[in-house]
Amino acid sequence: SSLILARSEDGAGAGDDIEGLVGVEVGLLDLTSKDILSYKESEKVITNAVASLGPKQRRQFKDSSIEELVAELPDLNDNYEAVAVLANLCVSQSARGKGIGGNLCEAVKTVVRDQWSMHKIMLKVEADNTSARKLYGKLGFVEDWTNEGSTALRPAEGGSFDEIT
């Protein structure tokens, strides 16, 4: 996984203030439920699929990428797809409208393509987050499906979270 930061230019070149950030990680897309599994869930699915092999077969996959594992392992290849997952893009209120969100997304594309040699990036975005949906559309992301039953967490008073459906 990677965390990519956008820092301010304060004239002195220090760039201490974080104006935006985005995370990206590798995960599995469950092709049946159309759900993106978390990193930990993905790791468990892959570990179980490899563990079901004999010792000689396991050695064959020792240095394989997640995409190779999904393509080659029978327990995975018809059920999952390896994807990069763009997560938690945020830009500070004072830095919005400067292209920072787009630059961060482009940095994610570069990491996924050039460092991870992966070809697909997915994300989840709430239907009512019009600014995010507009940005992602402008950057070439397309809606594959809508998950009507999904939920999100929002910070609430006192340091707790509210679940939004």
Side-chain angles (χ1 to χ4, degrees):
S1 64
S2 290
L3 179 66
I4 302 168
L5 303 176
R7 295 188 179 269
S8 66
E9 295 293 329
D10 65 358
D16 288 335
D17 294 332
I18 295 174
E19 292 186 316
L21 61 89
V22 65
V24 61
E25 64 184 17
V26 177
L28 294 177
L29 169 65
D30 184 319
L31 298 173
T32 303
S33 68
K34 295 289 190 195
D35 191 25
I36 301 169
L37 277 59
S38 72
Y39 173 80
K40 288 188 180 235
E41 292 169 318
S42 298
E43 184 177 47
K44 183 177 180 181
V45 168
I46 291 168
T47 300
N48 288 341
V50 172
S52 70
L53 302 173
K56 189 174 183 178
Q57 290 174 304
R58 282 196 299 267
R59 281 191 296 277
Q60 174 187 343
F61 294 105
K62 181 178 160 240
D63 296 319
S64 297
S65 71
I66 188 171
E67 286 184 317
E68 292 167 334
L69 290 170
V70 170
E72 298 292 327
L73 293 175
D75 289 352
L76 301 178
N77 64 12
D78 290 331
N79 301 310
Y80 298 96
E81 181 178 358
V83 295
V85 182
L86 184 152
N88 301 317
L89 171 66
C90 60
V91 177
S92 73
Q93 291 264 315
S94 63
R96 292 188 180 165
K98 297 179 182 178
I100 292 170
N103 290 341
L104 287 167
C105 288
E106 290 301 328
V108 165
K109 289 179 180 181
T110 299
V111 166
V112 169
R113 181 188 61 240
D114 297 347
Q115 294 178 19
W116 298 355
S117 300
M118 293 187 72
H119 310 291
K120 189 167 192 171
I121 301 172
M122 298 195 80
L123 57 94
K124 293 180 182 180
V125 63
E126 295 169 32
D128 63 350
N129 190 342
T130 54
S131 60
R133 293 172 66 86
K134 182 178 174 183
L135 171 65
Y136 296 136
K138 187 171 127 182
L139 296 171
F141 288 91
V142 296
E143 184 174 318
D144 281 346
W145 72 89
T146 301
N147 185 345
E148 300 293 336
S150 65
T151 60
L153 296 176
R154 288 280 177 264
E157 297 283 325
S160 64
F161 291 92
D162 291 332
E163 188 172 1
I164 310 297
T165 55

